[in-house]
Amino acid sequence: MQHYKSINQNKIKITRLFPKKNTMIMEENILIIINKIRVAKDLTKLSELHTEDRLREDLDLTSFDLAELTVNIEDIYGVDVLNNSAILKVM
């Protein structure tokens, strides 16, 4: 898995959220969270995330799913995603 380089089009920039953490482990955790959301919606699990993946269009996440993703990230890593400007806009 590669690190996210931008936050355009609903992408998560992991290194900006957690500059001192092991981003490979975080990417795996994000994949686990996304897969839990997808499985609950009867969607197939993803084997990996790609830098070009868009949360809505490619991963089929709704606004509710994005909120759930955000809450899970906040719970696991103790960071307020929205207050740290990790998500600048929702498209």
Side-chain angles (χ1 to χ4, degrees):
M1 284 184 258
Q2 297 178 344
H3 302 295
Y4 287 93
K5 301 296 183 194
S6 72
I7 53 177
N8 295 328
Q9 298 178 351
N10 298 323
K11 293 180 184 175
I12 299 170
K13 185 173 179 184
I14 293 172
T15 54
R16 181 170 176 192
L17 278 175
F18 316 101
K20 297 179 182 176
K21 304 276 184 175
N22 182 334
T23 55
M24 182 67 89
I25 291 171
M26 285 184 282
E27 288 178 9
E28 291 171 8
N29 288 339
I30 302 273
L31 178 61
I32 290 167
I33 295 166
I34 289 172
N35 277 332
K36 284 181 182 179
I37 294 168
R38 288 178 55 86
V39 167
K41 296 170 54 169
D42 294 324
L43 298 172
T44 58
K45 286 185 176 182
L46 303 171
S47 59
E48 62 185 1
L49 296 173
H50 303 96
T51 56
E52 64 275 359
D53 287 342
R54 296 169 296 172
L55 296 174
R56 288 181 185 265
E57 294 85 351
D58 300 323
L59 304 183
D60 297 318
L61 300 182
T62 64
S63 297
F64 181 79
D65 299 331
L66 294 174
E68 185 177 350
L69 176 62
T70 301
V71 168
N72 278 282
I73 290 170
E74 290 175 356
D75 287 346
I76 292 171
Y77 295 106
V79 63
D80 187 335
V81 174
L82 298 177
N83 281 343
N84 287 318
S85 301
I87 300 174
L88 297 179
K89 63 181 178 178
V90 178
M91 300 175 80

